[in-house]
Amino acid sequence: MSTPNIVLTRIDNRLVHGQVGVVWTSSIGANLLLVANNDAAKSELQQELMAATAETSGVGIRFWTLEKTISTISKASPRQKIFLIIKTPLDALVLVKGGVPIKELNVGNMHHSENKVQLTKKVYADQTDQDAFKELTALGVDVYIQDVPEDKKIPIKDVI
């Protein structure tokens, strides 16, 4: 087993869309999008829509559950430059505690919903999210908010 070449891990509640699939993918040089999400791993419709975006960028895409990501990512080829895309801070925490070597976590988009407070223009978090961010930081993960590559990184500790 080797350490997978994860070039970026991003939280985006939309998972793969134009900004993620095109702008971020090209800026970080990824050649594989790995969507680690239990719902997307089961939804052919979601997969079709996200695969179309990946195809536009000329990169591969996989849809795995969190458990499959934990058990399988260490088998990735060193040639694979993995862009790991997840939906929530809790998902990130599950992956990190499961042994996925996430060194940094880019928080891109977390929509507003009930009981969530605004941290930045596009990031809203409830107490569970904030607790997960704090635990990830305590585990040594560099957690920051950054919508697009040219934006300045905002350390999560500066907003929670």
Side-chain angles (χ1 to χ4, degrees):
M1 303 284 181
S2 62
T3 301
N5 185 7
I6 300 171
V7 292
L8 184 65
T9 303
R10 178 177 169 95
I11 292 175
D12 195 313
N13 61 351
R14 301 166 295 175
L15 297 172
V16 176
H17 53 91
Q19 184 180 334
V20 164
V22 179
V23 177
W24 275 103
T25 300
S26 63
S27 96
I28 62 174
N31 59 19
L32 178 65
L33 304 180
L34 175 50
V35 177
N37 180 267
N38 294 341
D39 293 333
K42 296 179 217 156
S43 170
E44 284 186 37
L45 178 60
Q46 282 188 57
Q47 291 179 23
E48 283 178 34
L49 295 170
M50 289 187 258
T53 301
E55 196 175 305
T56 302
S57 294
V59 297
I61 190 166
R62 304 281 183 281
F63 302 95
W64 291 354
T65 63
L66 296 177
E67 190 54 47
K68 182 172 181 177
T69 303
I70 290 165
S71 66
T72 308
I73 198 165
S74 63
K75 298 174 186 169
S77 162
R79 294 185 313 276
Q80 291 175 309
K81 295 176 186 159
I82 302 167
F83 184 4
L84 183 57
I85 301 138
I86 57 180
K87 204 166 200 168
T88 70
L90 209 48
D91 289 349
L93 190 56
V94 167
L95 293 174
V96 169
K97 285 183 168 182
V100 177
I102 296 172
K103 304 281 186 261
E104 66 177 274
L105 179 61
N106 167 289
V107 182
N109 220 12
M110 293 174 54
H111 287 142
H112 180 270
S113 64
E114 194 174 339
N115 298 322
K116 294 203 177 209
V117 296
Q118 187 170 13
L119 303 181
T120 65
K121 185 176 166 189
K122 294 187 177 179
V123 176
Y124 294 79
D126 61 19
Q127 194 58 53
T128 301
D129 297 330
Q130 292 181 48
D131 291 346
F133 284 140
K134 288 174 185 169
E135 192 168 349
L136 286 160
T137 301
L139 290 169
V141 179
D142 177 18
V143 182
Y144 58 88
I145 297 170
Q146 186 181 26
D147 187 35
V148 292
E150 52 274 1
D151 285 354
K152 185 175 180 260
K153 293 179 181 179
I154 301 168
I156 199 72
K157 64 179 175 35
D158 291 355
V159 294
I160 60 171

